[in-house]
Amino acid sequence: MVGFNNAVRGSGMDNWVQGAQDQIAFGRVKKGFVAINGNSGVWTREFTTSLPNGSYCDVISGKLENGNCTGPKIKVQGGKFTVSVPARNAVAIHSNSKLPSSQSSTPTNDVKPVQVTFTETAHTQNGQKVFIVGSIPQLGNWDPAKALALTRTNKNTKWEIGVSLPSNTRIEYKFIKKSGNHVSWESGENRVYTTSNKSGQTVAASWK
């Protein structure tokens, strides 16, 4: 957050939002915006900001590097943007994380997709399935309703899915278990993985 603090220094506060328990968001006039979610569920909503129109790099999950975002990209249009803030995490954008105009109209990083296989060892109960959800659109933008279902590859505990993801991109993700409308999240910090520029990557994990 050092870069955020430097970018917004001297600017006043605006557009305060109080969400559910442990959820707050606020802007710094024409300089930045931050949403903090201390809750156990994903916080998805439209926010109002005084930042100019354009696309910004989320500086919590990535940064602006060589004219592009290493993590999620957030588009501001007409003083509004919609974002899903992961559970017990935050999202922040500021004037210095704004993409050049040539990149702002591009909804995702201009990189080729690569195939990544995720395997998860997890015990499930009858009716439960394992899903993956994460910080980029391909993994549902932290929305459990958009999570991708893994396929059980043996009788008991191993689950697997192949996903097409942008190359050279840092992602955060978690596995969840779903049974009907009930969702169980993994404990602990978000998992982090950076894709390479080659397909055939495999990421193995166990439920935590």
Side-chain angles (χ1 to χ4, degrees):
M1 290 290 286
V2 174
F4 180 88
N5 291 334
N6 289 338
V8 304
R9 183 175 289 118
S11 60
M13 186 181 296
D14 64 0
N15 297 308
W16 174 272
V17 176
Q18 177 71 60
Q21 184 177 3
D22 299 325
Q23 294 175 336
I24 62 168
F26 58 89
R28 300 292 294 272
V29 180
K30 297 183 179 180
K31 292 293 186 180
F33 194 94
V34 60
I36 303 168
N37 181 16
N39 202 296
S40 60
V42 178
W43 187 21
T44 301
R45 65 164 290 160
E46 181 181 72
F47 294 99
T48 298
T49 178
S50 55
L51 282 165
N53 289 347
S55 292
Y56 297 79
C57 302
D58 171 24
V59 297
I60 301 298
S61 299
K63 61 182 178 180
L64 175 62
E65 185 174 84
N66 298 323
N68 219 322
C69 298
T70 62
K73 186 184 300 183
I74 296 171
K75 185 174 183 179
V76 174
Q77 184 67 42
K80 306 284 186 181
F81 69 94
T82 299
V83 70
S84 294
V85 187
R88 299 187 178 91
N89 210 321
V91 167
I93 56 178
H94 57 74
S95 55
N96 294 339
S97 73
K98 187 175 186 287
L99 286 167
S101 58
S102 61
Q103 295 289 335
S104 293
S105 61
T106 305
T108 57
N109 292 345
D110 185 18
V111 292
K112 68 177 183 179
V114 292
Q115 190 72 12
V116 180
T117 298
F118 292 91
T119 65
E120 170 77 346
T121 300
H123 293 275
T124 54
Q125 299 177 354
N126 288 338
Q128 275 189 328
K129 292 184 178 181
V130 178
F131 293 73
I132 185 171
V133 65
S135 60
I136 60 175
Q138 292 87 344
L139 296 180
N141 279 333
W142 293 114
D143 183 352
K146 298 178 181 178
L148 304 180
L150 281 69
T151 300
R152 183 154 39 195
T153 59
N154 67 24
K155 185 177 180 180
N156 295 316
T157 61
K158 190 171 182 181
W159 299 76
E160 183 176 291
I161 187 173
V163 188
S164 181
L165 299 176
S167 60
N168 300 314
T169 299
R170 181 184 183 275
I171 62 173
E172 294 189 27
Y173 67 99
K174 277 192 172 184
F175 294 100
I176 61 176
K177 296 176 182 177
K178 294 171 66 175
S179 178
N181 294 325
H182 181 74
V183 179
S184 298
W185 291 77
E186 284 188 298
S187 61
E189 299 294 323
N190 295 336
R191 299 181 186 271
V192 177
Y193 180 70
T194 301
T195 60
S196 72
N197 58 2
K198 296 181 180 180
S199 287
Q201 305 165 53
T202 299
V203 184
S206 295
W207 183 269
K208 59 181 182 179

